[in-house]
Amino acid sequence: EARDAGIEEIFFVTGRGKTVLLDHFDQSFELEQILKERGSENNLTLVKNVMSKPGQISSTRQQKPLGLGHAVWCARHFVANDPFAVLLADDLILSKPGCLKQMMDVYNKTGGNIVASEEVLPEHTNRYGILDVVEDDGVLVKAKGLVEKPEPDKAPSNLCIIGRYLLQPEVFDHLGKQEQGAGGEIQLTDALAKTVKKIPFHGLRFEGTRFDCGSKLGF
């Protein structure tokens, strides 16, 4: 999905016991040799296509689960002063073009910060970051703020943020303060909310099917 959007450099923020994730994107000599011997050219091509050029995939470890905002902050030196994307792997989105490609097309017109969004049941707003909407054309919304996991009676809308973001590096100025939010964690949405007055903020109703793999039904 990231490659489909034109992204070439990928940085994984992982935790303990996740080394197999990085090994997946490394060269597998034994597997390639077996596929060659079996004449399985199609599968051999698939395996080789997983590979990136040297230096295009790297990682760091988040030693403590201090929240999504903290995980993103761990990647600050890799991002430096460039706009960047955040993809949460437990949100699987099936779409053509990919969700991030759809967002990139919008970003090229609007700039600023963009998140993937979808409507949720009003009683489920306390599970997500929720947009405070000021303009809505049915596909793209402009927000004046966002609230992390509000109770239904306090939610500004039922339009939630899901695990795709296109962000400006200024968000690190706020993440660096390490302020705790909902659940005692450092929330990415809290940092984004503090940039809204200076940086345009939009939510995109993407085309595609999303599976929340953090839930039993989605998984």
Side-chain angles (χ1 to χ4, degrees):
E1 184 181 339
R3 286 173 171 169
D4 184 40
I7 291 174
E8 297 179 344
E9 296 181 359
I10 299 172
F11 194 78
F12 288 101
V13 181
T14 69
R16 182 181 299 275
K18 305 291 178 145
T19 53
V20 68
L21 176 65
L22 297 175
D23 289 341
H24 176 76
F25 292 96
D26 202 351
Q27 190 162 8
S28 178
F29 296 103
E30 299 86 353
L31 177 59
E32 291 179 18
Q33 183 60 37
I34 291 173
L35 294 175
K36 286 179 183 178
E37 292 173 354
R38 293 179 178 177
S40 184
E41 295 298 328
N42 289 339
N43 285 332
L44 181 60
T45 299
L46 287 173
V47 169
K48 289 185 176 180
N49 285 344
V50 168
M51 291 283 294
S52 292
K53 295 178 181 178
Q56 287 187 335
I57 288 183
S58 50
S59 72
T60 191
R61 179 171 289 183
Q62 182 190 28
Q63 286 91 348
K64 296 181 179 180
L66 300 179
L68 174 58
H70 180 262
V72 173
W73 179 79
C74 288
R76 64 197 183 283
H77 296 305
F78 173 80
V79 172
N81 293 315
D82 293 324
F84 64 104
V86 176
L87 294 90
L88 305 188
D90 57 358
D91 268 335
L92 176 64
I93 301 174
L94 299 183
S95 60
K96 289 186 178 182
C99 179
L100 198 62
K101 176 64 166 59
Q102 297 176 43
M103 295 171 64
M104 195 74 80
D105 291 342
V106 171
Y107 175 81
N108 289 332
K109 300 175 182 177
T110 65
N113 294 322
I114 300 177
V115 296
S117 303
E118 67 177 10
E119 294 181 358
V120 296
L121 294 173
E123 58 266 30
H124 291 170
T125 57
N126 56 7
R127 303 178 184 181
Y128 302 95
I130 301 295
L131 298 179
D132 190 352
V133 177
V134 291
E135 297 178 15
D136 187 348
D137 66 6
V139 177
L140 189 67
V141 303
K142 184 176 182 180
K144 65 177 181 179
L146 52 158
V147 183
E148 180 65 23
K149 299 178 180 178
E151 292 302 321
D153 60 337
K154 296 181 180 179
S157 74
N158 70 328
L159 195 62
C160 79
I161 301 171
I162 65 168
R164 301 292 186 275
Y165 306 74
L166 286 176
L167 304 178
Q168 302 302 311
E170 285 82 356
V171 71
F172 288 115
D173 296 336
H174 302 284
L175 291 175
K177 297 176 183 178
Q178 306 285 290
E179 295 175 349
Q180 294 183 351
E185 297 182 336
I186 299 168
Q187 299 290 351
L188 179 58
T189 48
D190 291 344
L192 289 175
K194 295 177 181 178
T195 70
V196 170
K197 292 183 179 180
K198 296 182 179 180
I199 300 174
F201 189 93
H202 292 89
L204 175 67
R205 290 187 177 93
F206 60 92
E207 294 184 2
T209 303
R210 172 217 179 198
F211 299 91
D212 178 5
C213 299
S215 70
K216 292 180 180 180
L217 180 60
F219 186 78

